[in-house]
Amino acid sequence: MAGRTAVGLRASGARSKIENELKRKVVVISERLGHEYPDAKCALNYSNPEQLLFATILSAQCTDVRVNLTTPALFKKFPSTKE
């Protein structure tokens, strides 16, 4: 642990506790939503997480129907942010 001070170790320990608490809350919320809406489906069409991100951003500007009409050509032309 060269270069790590006691203050740094305490700070990273506190950060870890906060991160663990946030993860626990996310799990609880996810489980509650799953029980409340067991058949929920995403209305957006996508093939990968990257496309879902872009479709979600676009859906804030218009309807999901319009996004689904627009994204096939967009995703065909730009299937990924990678070259």
Side-chain angles (χ1 to χ4, degrees):
M1 287 196 213
R4 297 199 81 176
T5 65
V7 171
L9 290 173
R10 279 197 305 271
S12 65
R15 188 175 313 121
S16 178
K17 286 181 183 178
I18 291 169
E19 289 171 355
N20 288 338
E21 179 62 17
L22 288 173
K23 288 176 185 177
R24 188 193 65 75
K25 287 180 179 182
V26 167
V27 169
V28 169
I29 291 168
S30 179
E31 288 173 352
R32 287 182 183 174
L33 287 171
H35 290 304
E36 188 69 27
Y37 304 100
D39 299 321
K41 304 269 187 290
C42 180
L44 299 171
N45 298 326
Y46 62 95
S47 298
N48 58 52
E50 200 170 62
Q51 289 182 357
L52 176 59
L53 172 64
F54 291 120
T56 301
I57 292 168
L58 289 172
S59 73
Q61 306 303 316
C62 58
T63 65
D64 291 350
V65 171
R66 175 58 58 193
V67 171
N68 287 336
L69 290 172
T70 306
T71 53
L74 178 67
F75 294 157
K76 183 175 182 180
K77 186 170 183 174
F78 303 103
S80 171
T81 57
K82 297 167 185 60
E83 293 184 46

